[in-house]
């Protein structure tokens, strides 16, 4: 379950990184692509706008398709949008890429804490869910460190491209994780829920007792 928490918290890291990196990249972008204040502001705001849009229906989507599957889609979108932003040749492409990044953030901001909480033992649930918020703060810090490392050379494309690395790790890590046992119970997959609890708790866990608590 600690591994699951660490993987799911990468979504928070990406949230913080993609929100923070534009602050250090924008002055460099404007040297290569001059833009009006309106365009600059809209491009900066594209991430929270995309997140707002996605968060409106993220709950319904994850209830239908499952926590893990939705997070895998978000991870793939994070990686693709980061690479598109790095390779952009016009401002409108960057605006679209950042809106799509915001879309992934909106999904992950709803689903990742939910996935952690539903997979965690009651005794440490609050502490594990809090790692998501900590990861957001850490992502902002790393985005500023990336600006410090690449800003002097004007390598704003590298700043965006770096976002694809944790996104790839996020996707790979999810491939080794089980689905949320609570979601499996909600969908009527009792055997799969037992297998998920057993993987998350180990062989000594009282699987039937926890399954009964989930049903209650």
């Amino acid at each position: 379950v600690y591994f699951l928490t660490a993987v799911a918290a990468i979504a928070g890291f990406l949230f913080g990184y993609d929100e923070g990196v534009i602050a250090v990249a924008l002055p460099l972008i404007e040297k290569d692509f001059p833009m009006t204040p309106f365009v600059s502001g809209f491009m900066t705001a594209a991430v929270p706008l995309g997140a707002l849009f996605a968060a409106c229906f993220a709950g319904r989507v994850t209830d239908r398709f499952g926590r893990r599957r939705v997070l895998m889609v978000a991870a793939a979108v994070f990686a693709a949008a980061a690479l598109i932003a790095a390779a952009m040749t016009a401002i409108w492409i960057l605006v679209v890429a950042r809106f799509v990044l915001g879309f992934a953030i909106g999904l992950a901001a709803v689903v990742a804490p939910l996935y952690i909480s539903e997979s965690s033992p009651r005794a440490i649930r609050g502490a594990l869910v809090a790692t998501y918020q900590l990861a957001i703060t850490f992502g902002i810090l790393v985005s500023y460190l990336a600006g410090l490392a690449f800003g002097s050379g004007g390598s704003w494309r590298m700043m965006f491209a770096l976002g694809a690395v944790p996104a790839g790790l996020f996707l790979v890590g999810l491939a080794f994780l089980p689905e949320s046992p609570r979601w499996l119970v909600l969908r009527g997959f009792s055997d799969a829920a037992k297998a998920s609890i057993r993987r998350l708790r180990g062989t000594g866990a009282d699987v039937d007792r926890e399954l009964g608590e989930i049903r209650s």
Side-chain angles (χ1 to χ4, degrees):
V1 75
Y2 292 111
F3 177 69
L4 181 147
T5 300
V7 170
I10 296 175
F13 175 88
L14 288 164
F15 187 159
Y17 185 86
D18 290 322
E19 280 280 16
V21 74
I22 193 62
V24 290
L26 183 59
L28 303 176
I29 296 170
E30 288 180 324
K31 291 180 181 178
D32 296 334
F33 297 89
M35 62 189 94
T36 65
F38 174 80
V39 173
S40 173
F42 187 74
M43 185 264 293
T44 303
V47 165
L49 284 174
L52 174 64
F53 177 73
C56 288
F57 60 86
R60 187 173 298 177
V61 169
T62 192
D63 279 347
R64 179 173 181 182
F65 296 105
R67 304 2 177 173
R68 176 175 166 270
R69 195 177 301 172
V70 172
L71 285 176
M72 292 183 80
V73 170
V77 172
F78 270 122
L83 294 176
I84 291 171
M88 73 90 173
T89 55
I91 287 298
W92 71 267
I93 299 176
L94 182 58
V95 171
V96 172
R98 285 183 54 76
F99 182 84
V100 173
L101 276 171
F103 186 88
I105 285 173
L107 283 179
V110 173
V111 183
L114 181 65
Y115 184 46
I116 295 171
S117 67
E118 290 186 343
S119 303
S120 303
R122 184 188 305 169
I124 56 173
R125 187 171 295 151
L128 295 185
V129 173
T131 61
Y132 178 82
Q133 183 65 40
L134 178 62
I136 294 176
T137 311
F138 185 59
I140 295 171
L141 172 63
V142 172
S143 72
Y144 277 79
L145 293 177
L148 185 64
F150 299 106
S152 59
S155 301
W156 56 267
R157 293 184 187 274
M158 182 61 70
M159 298 179 199
F160 288 129
L162 281 176
V165 176
L169 294 174
F170 188 26
L171 184 59
V172 172
L174 287 166
F176 293 95
L177 292 174
E179 180 54 84
S180 157
R182 289 178 180 268
W183 181 80
L184 291 168
V185 170
L186 283 170
R187 303 298 288 186
F189 304 128
S190 295
D191 291 340
K194 283 185 178 181
S196 177
I197 294 170
R198 195 170 289 112
R199 282 188 64 187
L200 292 168
R201 305 287 181 265
T203 55
D206 189 344
V207 175
D208 290 330
R209 179 188 58 78
E210 185 162 351
L211 194 64
E213 290 178 354
I214 291 172
R215 284 175 176 151
S216 297

